[in-house]
Amino acid sequence: MAGKKGIHFGGGNIGRGFVAEFLHNSGYEVVFIDVMDAIIEKLQKTKSYDVTEIGPDGQTTFTIDNYRALNSKNEMEKVVEEIATADIVTCAVGPNILKFIAEPIAKGINQRQKKDPIAVIACENAIGATDTLKGFIMEKLNDDTKSNLDSKARFANSAIDRIVPIQDEDAGLNVKIEKFFEWCVESAPFGGSEPDIKGVHYVEDLQPYIERKLFTVNTGHATAAYYGHNRGKKYVHEVLEDKELHDIVQNTLKETAHLICSKHTHISREEQSDYVQRIVNRISNPVLKDVVERVGRAPLRKLSRKERFIGPAAHLAEMGEKYDCLLGGMEMALRFQNVEGDEESAELAKILKEQNAKEATKKLTGLEESHPLFAKVSEVVEKVQKDSA
């Protein structure tokens, strides 16, 4: 692995504590790219930082070094040069930022002289994030690169799963992260020459893994957070210690488990049940000290069409199956309004105040009025609007 180089957009906790850790442990030099001056300056001035994995059985600390950092606001030419000579480019910037990082990646691919194509893998909490990124990159590529794209770049979707709790105030670059992880990457785009990254699970069909993760981990985590917020709980583990709320989370995940096993028949009900219990145990871990407002932030995204509530509930409604618990989670998410430090929660309050129930349902969920789920969600929206008035 000597001489391998990985470019990573996003110097945040997931970037430093998950993606960069994996690349570092696989022998890559990591080049962090970000626009946040403070993070880039710290990375440039600090030769190493620690990643501490925490779990019920204690904690383990690893040192991460062999990295550099560039600020894409004022070092764009250098960023492009690094991409042109790299082996892999990853990102953990949030789905809304993908369009901004597409241009430097495209320029780097255009300038590429390396024999092997660069691997592009988006590590975002969204379905098909690499496809989305690729769409933005394609708009910026020159015709010559487009006609010869396979020799210059390979694009693979991925599903990542690892909880990063609120960090200690004096942590600096150090990151605390849970021990459990899952990073699945589709193998087909690489044609048998997948990047050698220790811990990555390459799979032929990513969809079952993405949906299982999104509709179990994210649905369960968000359900606990929104109910917790509405009941005045501070941490997610405190929500799970409350028997009533614990049962609500479990029953919500019974609904999504039924969907997952019905759609992806190779996942047995027993296997999914075991997976659900593993996830509930993870988010119940008091060592993580996971604040409910952190988990609940960005409610507009979490209430959108393909996300953790509407996505599975829409499938179940189309199948004529039960989705009552998911509907309860949606109600709690709609009540996550005007939370300090969360712009989307303020925007949610504004939408619910200014639009009628049907208009707000369409805007928030992306559901068509003819969809079998629409009327039920609209009723919940109207209920929350009356309570908020």
Side-chain angles (χ1 to χ4, degrees), residues 211-224 240 245-261 269 272-284 308-309 312 316 322-326:
E211 291 195 350
R212 185 179 74 163
K213 187 261 173 175
L214 185 61
F215 300 160
T216 309
V217 181
N218 297 89
T219 302
H221 214 190
T223 300
L240 277 302
L245 300 181
H246 183 276
D247 289 349
I248 287 170
V249 173
Q250 288 277 13
N251 289 330
T252 302
L253 296 183
K254 280 181 185 172
E255 291 179 353
T256 60
H258 177 62
L259 169 66
I260 288 159
C261 297
R269 294 192 181 273
Q272 180 61 17
S273 177
D274 289 345
Y275 182 72
V276 166
Q277 294 321 309
R278 197 159 81 241
I279 299 314
V280 172
N281 288 340
R282 282 173 61 204
I283 65 176
S284 302
R308 58 208 73 193
F309 294 113
L316 288 164
K322 177 177 167 296
Y323 52 85
D324 300 1
C325 295
L326 284 162

Tab-separated table of all heavy atoms in Angstrom, residues 211-224 240 245-261 269 272-284 308-309 312 316 322-326:
chain	number	residue	atom	x	y	z
A	211	GLU	N	-31.222	0.098	2.727
A	211	GLU	CA	-32.566	0.185	3.297
A	211	GLU	C	-32.607	-0.402	4.698
A	211	GLU	O	-33.266	0.147	5.585
A	211	GLU	CB	-33.582	-0.492	2.378
A	211	GLU	CG	-33.798	0.274	1.091
A	211	GLU	CD	-35.041	-0.145	0.332
A	211	GLU	OE1	-35.653	-1.175	0.708
A	211	GLU	OE2	-35.412	0.554	-0.625
A	212	ARG	N	-31.894	-1.507	4.917
A	212	ARG	CA	-31.888	-2.113	6.244
A	212	ARG	C	-31.305	-1.133	7.260
A	212	ARG	O	-31.843	-0.947	8.348
A	212	ARG	CB	-31.077	-3.410	6.243
A	212	ARG	CG	-31.143	-4.136	7.575
A	212	ARG	CD	-30.368	-5.422	7.560
A	212	ARG	NE	-28.920	-5.188	7.594
A	212	ARG	CZ	-28.026	-6.122	7.915
A	212	ARG	NH1	-28.415	-7.354	8.188
A	212	ARG	NH2	-26.739	-5.848	7.919
A	213	LYS	N	-30.203	-0.482	6.879
A	213	LYS	CA	-29.572	0.479	7.782
A	213	LYS	C	-30.468	1.696	8.005
A	213	LYS	O	-30.730	2.107	9.132
A	213	LYS	CB	-28.213	0.899	7.205
A	213	LYS	CG	-27.387	1.769	8.142
A	213	LYS	CD	-27.497	3.229	7.795
A	213	LYS	CE	-26.787	4.090	8.854
A	213	LYS	NZ	-26.771	5.510	8.499
A	214	LEU	N	-30.951	2.300	6.917
A	214	LEU	CA	-31.738	3.529	7.015
A	214	LEU	C	-33.031	3.309	7.784
A	214	LEU	O	-33.414	4.116	8.634
A	214	LEU	CB	-32.040	4.057	5.611
A	214	LEU	CG	-32.751	5.411	5.520
A	214	LEU	CD1	-31.917	6.519	6.142
A	214	LEU	CD2	-33.068	5.752	4.067
A	215	PHE	N	-33.709	2.170	7.490
A	215	PHE	CA	-35.021	1.928	8.091
A	215	PHE	C	-34.947	1.208	9.438
A	215	PHE	O	-35.970	0.906	10.039
A	215	PHE	CB	-35.910	1.141	7.131
A	215	PHE	CG	-36.165	1.833	5.809
A	215	PHE	CD1	-36.590	1.121	4.687
A	215	PHE	CD2	-35.975	3.202	5.667
A	215	PHE	CE1	-36.818	1.750	3.473
A	215	PHE	CE2	-36.199	3.848	4.445
A	215	PHE	CZ	-36.617	3.120	3.352
A	216	THR	N	-33.729	0.914	9.900
A	216	THR	CA	-33.567	0.331	11.238
A	216	THR	C	-32.775	1.286	12.122
A	216	THR	O	-33.300	1.829	13.089
A	216	THR	CB	-32.856	-1.045	11.176
A	216	THR	OG1	-33.503	-1.887	10.215
A	216	THR	CG2	-32.903	-1.733	12.533
A	217	VAL	N	-31.515	1.530	11.764
A	217	VAL	CA	-30.667	2.397	12.587
A	217	VAL	C	-31.234	3.821	12.623
A	217	VAL	O	-31.490	4.384	13.693
A	217	VAL	CB	-29.215	2.445	12.059
A	217	VAL	CG1	-28.342	3.321	12.945
A	217	VAL	CG2	-28.636	1.049	11.962
A	218	ASN	N	-31.420	4.421	11.443
A	218	ASN	CA	-31.841	5.815	11.386
A	218	ASN	C	-33.279	6.001	11.860
A	218	ASN	O	-33.575	6.961	12.574
A	218	ASN	CB	-31.666	6.371	9.971
A	218	ASN	CG	-30.216	6.368	9.535
A	218	ASN	OD1	-29.734	5.386	8.975
A	218	ASN	ND2	-29.491	7.427	9.805
A	219	THR	N	-34.166	5.080	11.475
A	219	THR	CA	-35.552	5.188	11.932
A	219	THR	C	-35.628	5.019	13.450
A	219	THR	O	-36.287	5.799	14.143
A	219	THR	CB	-36.446	4.130	11.250
A	219	THR	OG1	-36.378	4.294	9.829
A	219	THR	CG2	-37.898	4.276	11.679
A	220	GLY	N	-34.923	4.015	13.969
A	220	GLY	CA	-34.947	3.771	15.410
A	220	GLY	C	-34.334	4.913	16.203
A	220	GLY	O	-34.887	5.372	17.209
A	221	HIS	N	-33.195	5.391	15.737
A	221	HIS	CA	-32.471	6.480	16.400
A	221	HIS	C	-33.319	7.753	16.417
A	221	HIS	O	-33.458	8.417	17.458
A	221	HIS	CB	-31.166	6.729	15.633
A	221	HIS	CG	-30.023	7.137	16.495
A	221	HIS	ND1	-28.832	7.593	15.971
A	221	HIS	CD2	-29.865	7.188	17.839
A	221	HIS	CE1	-28.000	7.892	16.961
A	221	HIS	NE2	-28.598	7.653	18.098
A	222	ALA	N	-33.900	8.091	15.257
A	222	ALA	CA	-34.707	9.307	15.153
A	222	ALA	C	-35.990	9.193	15.975
A	222	ALA	O	-36.415	10.161	16.617
A	222	ALA	CB	-35.037	9.594	13.690
A	223	THR	N	-36.615	8.018	15.960
A	223	THR	CA	-37.836	7.812	16.745
A	223	THR	C	-37.552	8.060	18.222
A	223	THR	O	-38.285	8.793	18.909
A	223	THR	CB	-38.388	6.379	16.544
A	223	THR	OG1	-38.680	6.182	15.156
A	223	THR	CG2	-39.653	6.149	17.361
A	224	ALA	N	-36.471	7.474	18.720
A	224	ALA	CA	-36.084	7.665	20.123
A	224	ALA	C	-35.821	9.139	20.411
A	224	ALA	O	-36.252	9.677	21.440
A	224	ALA	CB	-34.852	6.826	20.436
A	240	LEU	N	-34.573	5.063	26.005
A	240	LEU	CA	-34.695	3.610	25.943
A	240	LEU	C	-34.864	2.980	27.326
A	240	LEU	O	-35.298	1.831	27.441
A	240	LEU	CB	-33.493	3.000	25.223
A	240	LEU	CG	-33.515	2.962	23.673
A	240	LEU	CD1	-34.720	2.211	23.154
A	240	LEU	CD2	-33.477	4.348	23.050
A	245	LEU	N	-41.477	4.220	26.084
A	245	LEU	CA	-40.771	4.700	24.894
A	245	LEU	C	-39.934	3.588	24.254
A	245	LEU	O	-39.830	3.513	23.026
A	245	LEU	CB	-39.893	5.900	25.252
A	245	LEU	CG	-40.644	7.114	25.830
A	245	LEU	CD1	-39.680	8.250	26.119
A	245	LEU	CD2	-41.744	7.575	24.884
A	246	HIS	N	-39.361	2.723	25.078
A	246	HIS	CA	-38.620	1.560	24.568
A	246	HIS	C	-39.528	0.717	23.696
A	246	HIS	O	-39.149	0.289	22.590
A	246	HIS	CB	-38.073	0.751	25.744
A	246	HIS	CG	-37.237	-0.431	25.330
A	246	HIS	ND1	-37.800	-1.652	24.992
A	246	HIS	CD2	-35.898	-0.581	25.193
A	246	HIS	CE1	-36.829	-2.495	24.669
A	246	HIS	NE2	-35.670	-1.874	24.782
A	247	ASP	N	-40.765	0.487	24.166
A	247	ASP	CA	-41.723	-0.334	23.404
A	247	ASP	C	-42.120	0.354	22.102
A	247	ASP	O	-42.309	-0.310	21.072
A	247	ASP	CB	-42.966	-0.625	24.251
A	247	ASP	CG	-42.680	-1.598	25.394
A	247	ASP	OD1	-41.589	-2.200	25.395
A	247	ASP	OD2	-43.551	-1.751	26.277
A	248	ILE	N	-42.244	1.686	22.139
A	248	ILE	CA	-42.596	2.432	20.920
A	248	ILE	C	-41.507	2.254	19.861
A	248	ILE	O	-41.795	1.997	18.687
A	248	ILE	CB	-42.821	3.922	21.236
A	248	ILE	CG1	-44.145	4.110	21.981
A	248	ILE	CG2	-42.809	4.767	19.954
A	248	ILE	CD1	-44.355	5.507	22.552
A	249	VAL	N	-40.245	2.384	20.289
A	249	VAL	CA	-39.129	2.205	19.347
A	249	VAL	C	-39.133	0.776	18.796
A	249	VAL	O	-39.016	0.557	17.579
A	249	VAL	CB	-37.775	2.528	20.020
A	249	VAL	CG1	-36.604	2.170	19.093
A	249	VAL	CG2	-37.697	4.008	20.397
A	250	GLN	N	-39.290	-0.208	19.674
A	250	GLN	CA	-39.304	-1.620	19.242
A	250	GLN	C	-40.442	-1.875	18.266
A	250	GLN	O	-40.257	-2.552	17.243
A	250	GLN	CB	-39.461	-2.540	20.462
A	250	GLN	CG	-38.231	-2.620	21.358
A	250	GLN	CD	-37.199	-3.623	20.853
A	250	GLN	OE1	-37.256	-4.107	19.738
A	250	GLN	NE2	-36.227	-3.926	21.698
A	251	ASN	N	-41.632	-1.354	18.558
A	251	ASN	CA	-42.785	-1.592	17.685
A	251	ASN	C	-42.647	-0.886	16.344
A	251	ASN	O	-43.107	-1.386	15.316
A	251	ASN	CB	-44.079	-1.163	18.390
A	251	ASN	CG	-44.447	-2.098	19.532
A	251	ASN	OD1	-44.131	-3.290	19.483
A	251	ASN	ND2	-45.093	-1.582	20.559
A	252	THR	N	-41.992	0.276	16.352
A	252	THR	CA	-41.706	0.974	15.081
A	252	THR	C	-40.796	0.108	14.216
A	252	THR	O	-41.012	-0.042	13.002
A	252	THR	CB	-41.048	2.340	15.359
A	252	THR	OG1	-41.904	3.122	16.171
A	252	THR	CG2	-40.765	3.081	14.055
A	253	LEU	N	-39.795	-0.491	14.849
A	253	LEU	CA	-38.839	-1.314	14.102
A	253	LEU	C	-39.421	-2.673	13.709
A	253	LEU	O	-38.897	-3.322	12.805
A	253	LEU	CB	-37.542	-1.468	14.901
A	253	LEU	CG	-36.791	-0.146	15.133
A	253	LEU	CD1	-35.480	-0.382	15.863
A	253	LEU	CD2	-36.540	0.595	13.815
A	254	LYS	N	-40.510	-3.077	14.345
A	254	LYS	CA	-41.233	-4.276	13.866
A	254	LYS	C	-41.898	-3.971	12.530
A	254	LYS	O	-41.941	-4.811	11.632
A	254	LYS	CB	-42.290	-4.711	14.887
A	254	LYS	CG	-41.729	-5.504	16.052
A	254	LYS	CD	-42.833	-5.920	17.024
A	254	LYS	CE	-42.232	-6.613	18.239
A	254	LYS	NZ	-43.258	-6.854	19.283
A	255	GLU	N	-42.415	-2.740	12.393
A	255	GLU	CA	-43.034	-2.343	11.121
A	255	GLU	C	-42.002	-2.302	10.005
A	255	GLU	O	-42.228	-2.836	8.909
A	255	GLU	CB	-43.708	-0.975	11.277
A	255	GLU	CG	-44.945	-1.008	12.167
A	255	GLU	CD	-45.600	0.353	12.347
A	255	GLU	OE1	-45.023	1.380	11.889
A	255	GLU	OE2	-46.680	0.406	12.954
A	256	THR	N	-40.846	-1.675	10.273
A	256	THR	CA	-39.828	-1.587	9.220
A	256	THR	C	-39.207	-2.957	8.944
A	256	THR	O	-38.843	-3.244	7.803
A	256	THR	CB	-38.729	-0.559	9.565
A	256	THR	OG1	-38.074	-0.944	10.778
A	256	THR	CG2	-39.295	0.840	9.724
A	257	ALA	N	-39.113	-3.803	9.972
A	257	ALA	CA	-38.572	-5.159	9.762
A	257	ALA	C	-39.471	-5.951	8.823
A	257	ALA	O	-38.988	-6.694	7.952
A	257	ALA	CB	-38.433	-5.888	11.105
A	258	HIS	N	-40.782	-5.799	8.994
A	258	HIS	CA	-41.729	-6.492	8.113
A	258	HIS	C	-41.527	-6.052	6.661
A	258	HIS	O	-41.519	-6.873	5.736
A	258	HIS	CB	-43.167	-6.205	8.564
A	258	HIS	CG	-44.206	-6.815	7.684
A	258	HIS	ND1	-44.307	-8.185	7.506
A	258	HIS	CD2	-45.161	-6.256	6.891
A	258	HIS	CE1	-45.305	-8.441	6.652
A	258	HIS	NE2	-45.833	-7.282	6.270
A	259	LEU	N	-41.309	-4.748	6.478
A	259	LEU	CA	-41.066	-4.218	5.128
A	259	LEU	C	-39.770	-4.782	4.555
A	259	LEU	O	-39.741	-5.269	3.417
A	259	LEU	CB	-40.993	-2.693	5.174
A	259	LEU	CG	-40.486	-2.025	3.887
A	259	LEU	CD1	-41.467	-2.238	2.755
A	259	LEU	CD2	-40.232	-0.535	4.113
A	260	ILE	N	-38.691	-4.723	5.331
A	260	ILE	CA	-37.377	-5.162	4.845
A	260	ILE	C	-37.404	-6.634	4.445
A	260	ILE	O	-36.894	-7.011	3.381
A	260	ILE	CB	-36.300	-4.883	5.922
A	260	ILE	CG1	-36.036	-3.370	6.016
A	260	ILE	CG2	-34.992	-5.614	5.610
A	260	ILE	CD1	-35.407	-2.931	7.310
A	261	CYS	N	-38.012	-7.475	5.272
A	261	CYS	CA	-38.049	-8.914	4.975
A	261	CYS	C	-38.993	-9.236	3.829
A	261	CYS	O	-38.799	-10.229	3.121
A	261	CYS	CB	-38.441	-9.708	6.225
A	261	CYS	SG	-37.240	-9.552	7.559
A	269	ARG	N	-36.500	-13.239	8.707
A	269	ARG	CA	-37.111	-12.503	9.822
A	269	ARG	C	-36.278	-12.658	11.087
A	269	ARG	O	-36.161	-11.721	11.873
A	269	ARG	CB	-38.562	-12.959	10.029
A	269	ARG	CG	-39.409	-12.581	8.826
A	269	ARG	CD	-40.891	-12.707	8.991
A	269	ARG	NE	-41.531	-12.333	7.724
A	269	ARG	CZ	-41.860	-11.083	7.388
A	269	ARG	NH1	-41.615	-10.096	8.232
A	269	ARG	NH2	-42.432	-10.831	6.241
A	272	GLN	N	-33.236	-10.344	10.721
A	272	GLN	CA	-33.603	-8.940	10.909
A	272	GLN	C	-33.939	-8.651	12.375
A	272	GLN	O	-33.593	-7.603	12.914
A	272	GLN	CB	-34.779	-8.560	9.998
A	272	GLN	CG	-35.237	-7.116	10.117
A	272	GLN	CD	-34.159	-6.100	9.758
A	272	GLN	OE1	-33.164	-6.430	9.123
A	272	GLN	NE2	-34.355	-4.848	10.178
A	273	SER	N	-34.579	-9.600	13.035
A	273	SER	CA	-34.901	-9.437	14.458
A	273	SER	C	-33.623	-9.296	15.283
A	273	SER	O	-33.527	-8.443	16.176
A	273	SER	CB	-35.724	-10.625	14.951
A	273	SER	OG	-35.981	-10.510	16.328
A	274	ASP	N	-32.631	-10.114	14.969
A	274	ASP	CA	-31.336	-10.028	15.660
A	274	ASP	C	-30.677	-8.673	15.402
A	274	ASP	O	-30.092	-8.062	16.301
A	274	ASP	CB	-30.392	-11.147	15.191
A	274	ASP	CG	-30.816	-12.512	15.702
A	274	ASP	OD1	-31.646	-12.565	16.631
A	274	ASP	OD2	-30.322	-13.530	15.169
A	275	TYR	N	-30.768	-8.206	14.137
A	275	TYR	CA	-30.186	-6.920	13.755
A	275	TYR	C	-30.859	-5.784	14.534
A	275	TYR	O	-30.188	-4.885	15.052
A	275	TYR	CB	-30.361	-6.722	12.244
A	275	TYR	CG	-29.763	-5.449	11.689
A	275	TYR	CD1	-28.388	-5.292	11.571
A	275	TYR	CD2	-30.578	-4.400	11.261
A	275	TYR	CE1	-27.838	-4.117	11.047
A	275	TYR	CE2	-30.049	-3.234	10.739
A	275	TYR	CZ	-28.671	-3.097	10.632
A	275	TYR	OH	-28.130	-1.939	10.119
A	276	VAL	N	-32.195	-5.846	14.636
A	276	VAL	CA	-32.946	-4.822	15.371
A	276	VAL	C	-32.475	-4.757	16.823
A	276	VAL	O	-32.223	-3.672	17.361
A	276	VAL	CB	-34.466	-5.100	15.308
A	276	VAL	CG1	-35.221	-4.257	16.350
A	276	VAL	CG2	-35.013	-4.807	13.911
A	277	GLN	N	-32.340	-5.918	17.468
A	277	GLN	CA	-31.927	-5.930	18.880
A	277	GLN	C	-30.508	-5.385	19.040
A	277	GLN	O	-30.213	-4.687	20.011
A	277	GLN	CB	-32.026	-7.347	19.464
A	277	GLN	CG	-33.453	-7.882	19.541
A	277	GLN	CD	-34.471	-6.818	19.959
A	277	GLN	OE1	-34.309	-6.126	20.955
A	277	GLN	NE2	-35.527	-6.672	19.173
A	278	ARG	N	-29.648	-5.683	18.064
A	278	ARG	CA	-28.283	-5.161	18.111
A	278	ARG	C	-28.296	-3.636	18.029
A	278	ARG	O	-27.563	-2.946	18.746
A	278	ARG	CB	-27.455	-5.773	16.970
A	278	ARG	CG	-25.964	-5.628	17.168
A	278	ARG	CD	-25.168	-6.635	16.363
A	278	ARG	NE	-24.983	-6.252	14.981
A	278	ARG	CZ	-25.419	-6.945	13.934
A	278	ARG	NH1	-26.079	-8.062	14.102
A	278	ARG	NH2	-25.206	-6.528	12.705
A	279	ILE	N	-29.159	-3.116	17.160
A	279	ILE	CA	-29.250	-1.662	16.986
A	279	ILE	C	-29.830	-1.011	18.245
A	279	ILE	O	-29.330	0.024	18.704
A	279	ILE	CB	-30.112	-1.314	15.753
A	279	ILE	CG1	-29.510	-1.877	14.464
A	279	ILE	CG2	-30.315	0.196	15.638
A	279	ILE	CD1	-28.033	-1.661	14.278
A	280	VAL	N	-30.884	-1.593	18.800
A	280	VAL	CA	-31.492	-1.028	20.014
A	280	VAL	C	-30.475	-1.031	21.152
A	280	VAL	O	-30.373	-0.062	21.912
A	280	VAL	CB	-32.778	-1.793	20.398
A	280	VAL	CG1	-33.289	-1.335	21.768
A	280	VAL	CG2	-33.861	-1.585	19.345
A	281	ASN	N	-29.697	-2.099	21.256
A	281	ASN	CA	-28.653	-2.162	22.283
A	281	ASN	C	-27.600	-1.079	22.069
A	281	ASN	O	-27.104	-0.469	23.020
A	281	ASN	CB	-27.977	-3.540	22.288
A	281	ASN	CG	-28.878	-4.626	22.848
A	281	ASN	OD1	-29.844	-4.340	23.558
A	281	ASN	ND2	-28.590	-5.874	22.514
A	282	ARG	N	-27.261	-0.822	20.808
A	282	ARG	CA	-26.261	0.206	20.497
A	282	ARG	C	-26.746	1.581	20.932
A	282	ARG	O	-26.030	2.309	21.616
A	282	ARG	CB	-25.987	0.247	18.997
A	282	ARG	CG	-25.086	-0.842	18.478
A	282	ARG	CD	-25.033	-0.785	16.958
A	282	ARG	NE	-24.501	0.466	16.468
A	282	ARG	CZ	-24.753	0.959	15.256
A	282	ARG	NH1	-25.549	0.323	14.426
A	282	ARG	NH2	-24.207	2.091	14.873
A	283	ILE	N	-27.961	1.949	20.515
A	283	ILE	CA	-28.424	3.308	20.813
A	283	ILE	C	-28.824	3.451	22.285
A	283	ILE	O	-29.018	4.569	22.761
A	283	ILE	CB	-29.561	3.764	19.860
A	283	ILE	CG1	-30.826	2.925	20.033
A	283	ILE	CG2	-29.084	3.766	18.416
A	283	ILE	CD1	-31.994	3.409	19.183
A	284	SER	N	-28.910	2.316	23.003
A	284	SER	CA	-29.187	2.347	24.450
A	284	SER	C	-27.918	2.533	25.272
A	284	SER	O	-27.981	2.638	26.502
A	284	SER	CB	-29.852	1.035	24.892
A	284	SER	OG	-31.039	0.797	24.190
A	308	ARG	N	-36.201	8.198	6.585
A	308	ARG	CA	-36.426	7.158	7.606
A	308	ARG	C	-37.860	6.951	8.058
A	308	ARG	O	-38.184	5.892	8.595
A	308	ARG	CB	-35.536	7.455	8.799
A	308	ARG	CG	-35.742	8.801	9.430
A	308	ARG	CD	-34.474	9.301	10.095
A	308	ARG	NE	-33.498	9.704	9.105
A	308	ARG	CZ	-32.226	9.956	9.360
A	308	ARG	NH1	-31.777	9.888	10.602
A	308	ARG	NH2	-31.396	10.310	8.411
A	309	PHE	N	-38.754	7.944	7.855
A	309	PHE	CA	-40.160	7.774	8.239
A	309	PHE	C	-41.058	7.583	7.011
A	309	PHE	O	-41.732	6.568	6.876
A	309	PHE	CB	-40.645	8.986	9.046
A	309	PHE	CG	-39.975	9.125	10.388
A	309	PHE	CD1	-39.131	10.181	10.652
A	309	PHE	CD2	-40.197	8.189	11.394
A	309	PHE	CE1	-38.510	10.309	11.886
A	309	PHE	CE2	-39.584	8.304	12.633
A	309	PHE	CZ	-38.735	9.372	12.883
A	312	PRO	N	-40.208	4.167	4.519
A	312	PRO	CA	-40.795	2.866	4.841
A	312	PRO	C	-42.315	2.909	4.959
A	312	PRO	O	-43.000	1.964	4.547
A	312	PRO	CB	-40.146	2.500	6.179
A	312	PRO	CG	-39.653	3.785	6.762
A	312	PRO	CD	-39.311	4.652	5.581
A	316	LEU	N	-45.067	0.542	3.010
A	316	LEU	CA	-46.044	-0.262	3.758
A	316	LEU	C	-47.467	0.112	3.366
A	316	LEU	O	-48.332	-0.768	3.233
A	316	LEU	CB	-45.830	-0.067	5.269
A	316	LEU	CG	-44.579	-0.737	5.839
A	316	LEU	CD1	-44.233	-0.173	7.208
A	316	LEU	CD2	-44.756	-2.256	5.907
A	322	LYS	N	-49.570	-2.264	7.986
A	322	LYS	CA	-49.652	-1.349	9.120
A	322	LYS	C	-48.417	-0.431	9.208
A	322	LYS	O	-47.300	-0.883	9.002
A	322	LYS	CB	-49.783	-2.211	10.387
A	322	LYS	CG	-49.812	-1.488	11.702
A	322	LYS	CD	-50.016	-2.488	12.827
A	322	LYS	CE	-49.734	-1.880	14.186
A	322	LYS	NZ	-48.360	-1.474	14.391
A	323	TYR	N	-48.649	0.844	9.524
A	323	TYR	CA	-47.535	1.791	9.695
A	323	TYR	C	-47.844	2.797	10.814
A	323	TYR	O	-47.313	3.912	10.837
A	323	TYR	CB	-47.233	2.536	8.381
A	323	TYR	CG	-48.455	3.194	7.750
A	323	TYR	CD1	-48.863	4.460	8.158
A	323	TYR	CD2	-49.190	2.542	6.778
A	323	TYR	CE1	-49.980	5.059	7.601
A	323	TYR	CE2	-50.317	3.121	6.211
A	323	TYR	CZ	-50.705	4.387	6.629
A	323	TYR	OH	-51.818	4.980	6.079
A	324	ASP	N	-48.704	2.396	11.768
A	324	ASP	CA	-49.159	3.306	12.828
A	324	ASP	C	-48.000	3.877	13.656
A	324	ASP	O	-48.006	5.053	14.034
A	324	ASP	CB	-50.111	2.575	13.789
A	324	ASP	CG	-51.354	2.039	13.093
A	324	ASP	OD1	-51.458	2.224	11.872
A	324	ASP	OD2	-52.205	1.444	13.770
A	325	CYS	N	-47.032	3.023	13.979
A	325	CYS	CA	-45.916	3.485	14.825
A	325	CYS	C	-45.038	4.480	14.077
A	325	CYS	O	-44.556	5.458	14.655
A	325	CYS	CB	-45.100	2.291	15.311
A	325	CYS	SG	-46.024	1.193	16.395
A	326	LEU	N	-44.810	4.240	12.796
A	326	LEU	CA	-44.055	5.200	11.976
A	326	LEU	C	-44.775	6.544	11.928
A	326	LEU	O	-44.138	7.605	11.977
A	326	LEU	CB	-43.865	4.655	10.556
A	326	LEU	CG	-42.802	3.573	10.406
A	326	LEU	CD1	-42.995	2.799	9.103
A	326	LEU	CD2	-41.395	4.170	10.454
